[in-house]
Amino acid sequence: MVEQYIVVVAVVIASLLGFVFLYYSSLVRFWGLSKLKRRASMEFQKENRINKNGSGEDVGTTDIIIVGAGVAGAALAYSLGKDGRQVRVIERDLNPPDRIAGESLMPGGYLKLIELGLEDCVDEIDAQRNQGYILYKDGKNAPISYPLEKFHSHVVGKNFHNNRFVQKLRKKAASLHNVSLEQGTVTSLLEENGTIKGVHYKDKSSQMLTAYASLTVVCDGCFSNLRRSLCNPKVDVPSYFVGFILTNCKLSDQNHGAIILADPSPIVFYPISSTEIRCMVDVPSQNLPSLSNGEMSHYLKTLVAPKVFPETYDSFISAIEKKDNIKIMPNRIMADAPHRSPGALLIGDSLNMRHAITGGGMTVALSDVVLLRDLLRPLHDLSDASVVCKYLQSFYTLRKPMSSTINILASVLHKVFSSSSDPTIEDIQHACIGYLRLGGVFSSGLSAMIAGLCPRPLSLAFHLFALAIYGVGRLLLPFPSPKRLWNGAKLFW
């Protein structure tokens, strides 16, 4: 009863603050975007009068070049191809990708897949239903169940092998006659007088080629060699995910993944097929053991294995000992800080990344695709790169609600879930468990944002504020001693 009273007080305060910020930001966004759209509309009415028949288009020129055929690139190629665009997709390697990222599609991302007409790409790949996660800490647990009551039964999160999903997306894109999908390595952007006109690339036989397009969209992932010329290249790597596949075991709830808040690292489990469970162990960058000399196996066996569930222990050890089963992935954090580049645009992981602990990457990428498709639909002529660039600046504004909500939440949860010598982090972890166990709007509100169903930064601010108040209240009970006041102040800070 006391805990609920504390949260109610936090709710009232946060709601009042949220209303003020929401009202102000809504006015700014409404007037700013309305002005932008009026200007773009006027400009394109003028530009669309150009006679394309006399433009002398070069051989190999297309409407749009897409660099990269991962989730974002293949989905974008299909959606633009369906809208009648001539699209050339250049992908470094068209073989099935071998990676441990991109295995969890949140419900919000699945809804974007439906908008794009690509929902059948999760069929026949042994994808598993994902209805949320269960958080475990010191014998206590709290569910993070996605609030899906208002949706049809098929709308859930999906877990799968990334390569199966990507290959299905590529097949759908290549099925369109106006989409060209080819293997090649883009070496540089083709720039003339400050405008990107296309790309230079090597084909499978290492022959240098040049392709021209009115718009080049770069979405070749976090290791993009083109990112540096299009945006601020700063990258942070706070930790690594050490991933491997477990067989011959089951989670207590097959429709929910599991996150164990353990020392020294949080451990994540989720099924990726009917017979396989992916395990991801978060390891801080400064403490990453070597994989080649056996240090990583020793680390997992001695420090991590004792913290896993008893029913998965044997499979955990077997997975570590299996040759070439362990893979390491950097958790890269990259802010979306693009330069103004007429003729080119960044989307997906090439533009922006967050810690992978919430699995929100594909949801953000597919949201980018839907947004870009919708922005390009009314533009029949892309030949004036300067005007198109001005118009597409709104892309970076309109993507903020989804990307910033998922990015901030991923960063906060990683910090909260990671082990630390600071006892304040331990207090926050217990507060998080308690907050989620309150149920109702408190649990469903946070899980809706993790799921990509509530892309509202103000809602995130509200829940983080309420969580902080709840955590401080727990520390002050049953009476506020000086030590508890000090601990409460540190937690809130």
Side-chain angles (χ1 to χ4, degrees):
M1 186 68 183
V2 176
E3 291 181 344
Q4 290 180 340
Y5 175 76
I6 292 170
V7 175
V8 168
V9 172
V11 167
V12 172
I13 297 173
S15 297
L16 290 173
L17 291 173
F19 176 77
V20 173
F21 286 117
L22 179 62
Y23 181 74
Y24 174 76
S25 61
S26 296
L27 283 177
V28 172
R29 184 177 176 189
F30 174 77
W31 290 111
L33 291 181
S34 296
K35 187 176 180 181
L36 175 63
K37 288 179 180 178
R38 284 198 304 272
R39 183 172 71 244
S41 177
M42 292 172 63
E43 289 172 335
F44 275 98
Q45 286 175 6
K46 178 180 178 181
E47 297 302 325
N48 283 343
R49 291 199 294 266
I50 294 175
N51 183 2
K52 292 186 67 175
N53 292 331
S55 63
E57 292 182 357
D58 205 325
V59 174
T61 297
T62 56
D63 295 330
I64 297 173
I65 289 174
I66 297 175
V67 181
V71 172
L76 181 63
Y78 177 79
S79 59
L80 296 181
K82 289 286 286 185
D83 284 349
R85 305 281 188 186
Q86 293 292 325
V87 182
R88 180 191 299 272
V89 187
I90 305 172
E91 162 59 36
R92 182 183 297 107
D93 187 357
L94 288 175
N95 293 310
D98 182 17
R99 56 196 305 235
I100 59 175
E103 295 177 330
S104 291
L105 181 63
M106 298 296 109
Y110 183 69
L111 289 174
K112 297 299 180 184
L113 208 62
I114 293 174
E115 282 191 62
L116 295 168
L118 291 167
E119 65 272 23
D120 59 337
C121 289
V122 296
D123 296 338
E124 300 177 357
I125 60 172
D126 200 13
Q128 302 299 296
R129 292 171 64 88
N130 175 17
Q131 296 178 337
Y133 283 83
I134 300 176
L135 205 59
Y136 295 87
K137 169 72 175 174
D138 296 339
K140 295 181 180 179
N141 65 78
I144 307 175
S145 295
Y146 306 140
L148 302 172
E149 298 80 8
K150 297 180 181 178
F151 300 96
H152 293 294
S153 59
H154 70 280
V155 177
V156 293
K158 301 283 186 177
N159 296 334
F160 40 67
H161 283 270
N162 172 266
N163 55 7
R164 298 174 185 175
F165 180 54
V166 169
Q167 291 300 91
K168 293 270 281 192
L169 290 172
R170 290 173 176 175
K171 184 177 180 181
K172 286 278 284 190
S175 69
L176 301 178
H177 72 277
N178 52 331
V179 175
S180 168
L181 178 60
E182 59 184 292
Q183 184 166 306
T185 301
V186 175
T187 57
S188 63
L189 298 171
L190 173 61
E191 182 178 337
E192 295 179 6
N193 300 321
T195 298
I196 305 302
K197 298 288 188 179
V199 298
H200 298 293
Y201 71 102
K202 291 181 180 180
D203 64 9
K204 289 194 295 185
S205 60
S206 296
Q207 180 182 358
M208 286 298 301
L209 301 171
T210 300
Y212 296 87
S214 299
L215 178 64
T216 299
V217 181
V218 176
C219 46
D220 55 345
C222 61
F223 298 105
S224 172
N225 64 336
L226 306 178
R227 172 182 164 83
R228 181 174 296 275
S229 60
L230 296 174
C231 71
N232 186 339
K234 182 180 179 181
V235 177
D236 291 324
V237 182
S239 69
Y240 289 80
F241 260 149
V242 179
F244 42 94
I245 294 175
L246 277 60
T247 57
N248 302 318
C249 66
K250 297 278 187 183
L251 296 176
S252 58
D253 186 336
Q254 280 296 98
N255 291 325
H256 285 72
I259 302 177
I260 302 174
L261 305 187
D263 183 10
S265 307
I267 311 164
V268 183
F269 294 92
Y270 53 90
I272 57 173
S273 76
S274 55
T275 59
E276 299 165 305
I277 293 174
R278 170 69 73 190
C279 177
M280 297 282 235
V281 179
D282 188 79
V283 181
S285 297
Q286 63 272 21
N287 299 330
L288 185 69
S290 171
L291 182 61
S292 59
N293 63 9
E295 288 182 0
M296 179 61 73
S297 296
H298 178 74
Y299 174 89
L300 294 172
K301 287 180 181 179
T302 57
L303 293 180
V304 180
K307 313 295 172 47
V308 305
F309 307 115
E311 59 269 27
T312 62
Y313 180 84
D314 290 341
S315 296
F316 187 93
I317 297 298
S318 297
I320 295 170
E321 295 174 344
K322 186 177 179 181
K323 186 179 180 180
D324 299 328
N325 192 31
I326 300 175
K327 296 187 181 343
I328 299 176
M329 175 191 78
N331 285 308
R332 301 164 70 91
I333 297 178
M334 304 190 299
D336 58 337
H339 306 316
R340 188 176 182 275
S341 305
L345 192 75
L346 277 168
I347 70 168
D349 285 353
S350 300
L351 168 66
N352 175 219
M353 287 192 74
R354 75 293 310 149
H355 196 282
I357 197 161
T358 61
M362 285 193 291
T363 298
V364 175
L366 291 170
S367 177
D368 282 353
V369 171
V370 170
L371 178 57
L372 183 56
R373 178 203 63 180
D374 293 345
L375 284 173
L376 289 175
R377 269 181 171 169
L379 308 185
H380 303 295
D381 188 346
L382 303 175
S383 60
D384 192 320
S386 179
V387 175
V388 172
C389 182
K390 290 179 182 177
Y391 177 78
L392 290 181
Q393 286 301 305
S394 60
F395 167 78
Y396 297 111
T397 302
L398 294 170
R399 74 182 298 274
K400 285 292 185 183
M402 177 68 83
S403 64
S404 59
T405 300
I406 291 180
N407 291 353
I408 294 169
L409 190 57
S411 179
V412 169
L413 290 182
H414 176 248
K415 289 176 188 275
V416 168
F417 291 170
S418 297
S419 177
S420 171
S421 58
D422 186 351
T424 305
I425 295 295
E426 188 85 3
D427 292 334
I428 295 176
Q429 290 180 354
H430 286 292
C432 189
I433 294 280
Y435 187 82
L436 291 168
R437 287 168 68 95
L438 290 173
V441 67
F442 311 114
S443 176
S444 64
L446 274 178
S447 59
M449 285 181 283
I450 293 174
L453 298 172
C454 181
R456 298 178 190 139
L458 284 175
S459 294
L460 176 59
F462 157 75
H463 280 284
L464 295 180
F465 187 80
L467 174 58
I469 295 293
Y470 172 80
V472 172
R474 286 180 73 257
L475 288 178
L476 297 183
L477 295 176
F479 59 88
S481 66
K483 182 179 179 181
R484 288 175 175 172
L485 284 169
W486 172 244
N487 290 338
K490 288 198 297 181
L491 183 149
F492 194 84
W493 178 253

